[in-house]
Amino acid sequence: MEHSFRVGTYDFHPESNINFQLNRQISLGGGRMEDIRAVSSNIKNLDDWKREFLALARLAEQEERWENAASYYRGAEFFMTPGDPDKEWAYDQAAALFQKIVKDDLESGALNVEAAPYEKSRLPVFRLPAQEGVGFKGTIVLHGGYDSSKEELYPSADFVRQQGYDVYLFEGPGQGEALVKNGLHMTYEWEKAVGAVLDHYGLVGVALVGASLGGYLAPRAAAFEPRINRVVAWGVMYDFFEVLTSVRGKAMEIGMKSLIALRAKKALNRMAALRMERDPFAKWGINHGMFVMGKPTPYDFLQYARNFSMKGVSGKVRQDFLLLAGTRDHFIPLKHYHRQARELTNVRSFTGRIFTEAEQAENHCQCGNIPLVFNVISEWMNGLDERDG
């Protein structure tokens, strides 16, 4: 499969969340610049987003631009609320188009669609054997975070495969197909999901790479799973609860933290309901969180989110560690990077990298320069290989 990663971050929209998601369409290789520019000014709210992206998807289908269409159906689904009857339909459309896109990879064996047993269900796995003729370098297990999918991360996984790594890209509880089709809700005990994949394939000595919320999930798994040899936090995430409570303003942050500490469930749910009426992004974020975590109220979701913290866990990580962040991440404060770095006191080695605007990689998960991320990871891995002989 040929990939078209576009390097650069663009000012498509004045609202930071919408602008990031528009850039995400471009950066990960699925969206087309002229399409995104054409609709950006038409988007004032999340209803506009859904309408515009569904229209883009249908037009791309008519023109047999399958990769664009899959990306736009995925984009449309992203901001739909869990109760929207079009949400799972849009997910299915994107998944079906993906099968069309990767037909040649499936037939050649470059991509194998599999699953690993997990509890009473299964975790979806894309297995990508290392490209022949470039020299085998090792095994990477890759996963996303709070809202990514295996299909979205496939171009990145294939990019790594072509550098000589066996890649196991999986969706854990709360992610993609594992959530939408298998009904598995997210757990902070990510070592269970990683362990299921390692068990199924008999893997040891792997490098684990986690994106976005995976910047917590992967280090957490490494702290309790000795079969992981190296860990990459592709997007620092020291404390998810801190991030969730800080993104909609200081007053909201203080109010939510206080009510959670007091276990004032009714008061917090009332506060959340009022905010959700006025703020469409708060409404989407809280509804999405309840869906992913499988919790019935905003209070239950936020209480559970407190578990997603490296506090008291960082010191248990003993692997080689690569910590990645951006100078202008609109979602994760840079102080999380420094706190995480300070508390990794027992790692075998620590390498940190803060990407900059000059590199077009300053945003969340380096949206704007994905190839640079994996070149950095590959160089880091090569350096460790040289060290270990």
Side-chain angles (χ1 to χ4, degrees):
M1 177 180 178
E2 294 295 326
H3 306 297
S4 54
F5 294 110
R6 180 183 287 271
V7 174
T9 52
Y10 304 91
D11 292 325
F12 291 120
H13 201 278
E15 209 290 324
S16 61
N17 291 287
I18 289 178
N19 192 60
F20 174 76
Q21 295 303 332
L22 292 171
N23 271 279
R24 183 175 178 172
Q25 289 284 322
I26 298 292
S27 181
L28 290 167
R32 193 170 71 165
M33 176 67 76
E34 52 264 45
D35 293 341
I36 300 304
R37 286 203 184 281
V39 302
S40 59
S41 62
N42 299 332
I43 298 173
K44 303 294 188 291
N45 54 50
L46 299 187
D47 290 334
D48 294 341
W49 175 282
K50 174 183 173 180
R51 181 194 66 242
E52 294 296 327
F53 268 84
L54 286 179
L56 282 181
R58 289 167 179 140
L59 177 61
E61 273 193 291
Q62 290 171 13
E63 297 177 353
E64 298 186 353
R65 294 183 284 115
W66 309 123
E67 190 172 3
N68 296 152
S71 183
Y72 299 149
Y73 275 121
R74 158 68 179 157
E77 183 267 338
F78 183 85
F79 275 132
M80 293 184 201
T81 59
D84 190 322
D86 291 332
K87 188 174 180 66
E88 189 167 351
W89 170 81
Y91 173 90
D92 290 340
Q93 294 296 108
L97 284 167
F98 177 81
Q99 295 295 313
K100 186 187 293 285
I101 295 163
V102 298
K103 181 175 180 291
D104 290 344
D105 289 356
L106 290 167
E107 291 177 352
S108 71
L111 169 62
N112 302 273
V113 178
E114 300 173 349
Y118 176 81
E119 296 182 350
K120 295 181 180 179
S121 186
R122 298 166 72 80
L123 301 180
V125 180
F126 284 172
R127 181 173 60 85
L128 295 78
Q131 183 167 302
E132 295 181 3
V134 297
F136 179 69
K137 295 181 178 178
T139 300
I140 289 178
V141 178
L142 172 64
H143 61 79
Y146 192 46
D147 52 33
S148 55
S149 69
K150 62 186 184 300
E151 291 85 3
E152 181 182 41
L153 289 173
Y154 177 68
S156 298
D158 194 47
F159 183 85
V160 175
R161 177 193 73 83
Q162 293 175 27
Q163 293 181 326
Y165 294 95
D166 283 346
V167 183
Y168 296 80
L169 167 58
F170 80 94
E171 289 174 330
Q175 298 176 335
E177 182 184 345
L179 172 66
V180 176
K181 297 300 183 181
N182 298 350
L184 294 171
H185 295 107
M186 185 163 279
T187 174
Y188 65 94
E189 296 175 305
W190 202 247
E191 63 275 12
K192 295 180 178 179
V194 174
V197 174
L198 301 183
D199 287 344
H200 183 64
Y201 291 102
L203 300 176
V204 294
V206 305
L208 181 65
V209 181
S212 192
L213 180 60
Y216 157 79
L217 299 172
R220 159 76 198 206
F224 298 99
E225 178 49 79
R227 287 174 290 181
I228 299 167
N229 191 40
R230 300 165 182 175
V231 60
V232 180
W234 177 15
V236 62
M237 184 70 77
Y238 178 84
D239 190 306
F240 188 42
F241 178 74
E242 288 282 339
V243 170
L244 288 171
T245 54
S246 66
V247 293
R248 305 314 290 171
K250 196 66 179 177
M252 188 73 169
E253 177 184 1
I254 293 170
M256 286 196 295
K257 285 183 175 179
S258 299
L259 293 174
I260 285 287
L262 293 169
R263 297 187 178 276
K265 183 172 183 175
K266 290 183 179 179
L268 188 140
N269 285 336
R270 284 196 299 270
M271 178 183 180
L274 289 171
R275 186 57 184 257
M276 290 165 73
E277 286 179 8
R278 300 193 302 266
D279 184 341
F281 288 100
K283 180 179 180 180
W284 175 83
I286 291 172
N287 279 326
H288 183 67
M290 292 189 293
F291 177 54
V292 169
M293 305 290 187
K295 302 302 177 185
T297 72
Y299 174 87
D300 294 304
F301 156 51
L302 290 169
Q303 275 286 13
Y304 190 69
R306 295 176 75 185
N307 294 300
F308 291 73
S309 173
M310 289 299 292
K311 184 178 181 180
V313 178
S314 296
K316 297 178 182 178
V317 180
R318 299 186 179 277
Q319 292 86 346
D320 297 302
F321 200 109
L322 177 60
L323 181 63
L324 306 178
T327 55
R328 296 186 62 189
D329 190 322
H330 76 292
F331 191 48
I332 314 296
L334 199 54
K335 65 182 180 181
H336 283 238
Y337 172 92
H338 298 294
R339 188 171 185 184
Q340 178 68 287
R342 286 196 305 270
E343 295 186 15
L344 291 166
T345 53
N346 292 305
V347 291
R348 184 184 301 119
S349 69
F350 173 80
T351 303
R353 175 70 180 270
I354 301 176
F355 295 89
T356 67
E357 200 168 354
E359 297 171 301
Q360 300 289 318
E362 74 278 11
N363 215 323
H364 185 58
C365 290
Q366 288 61 66
C367 180
N369 201 340
I370 300 301
L372 176 61
V373 172
F374 283 100
N375 285 331
V376 167
I377 292 173
S378 182
E379 289 173 7
W380 177 71
M381 296 271 284
N382 291 340
L384 295 177
D385 289 341
E386 292 175 5
R387 180 201 67 186
D388 296 340

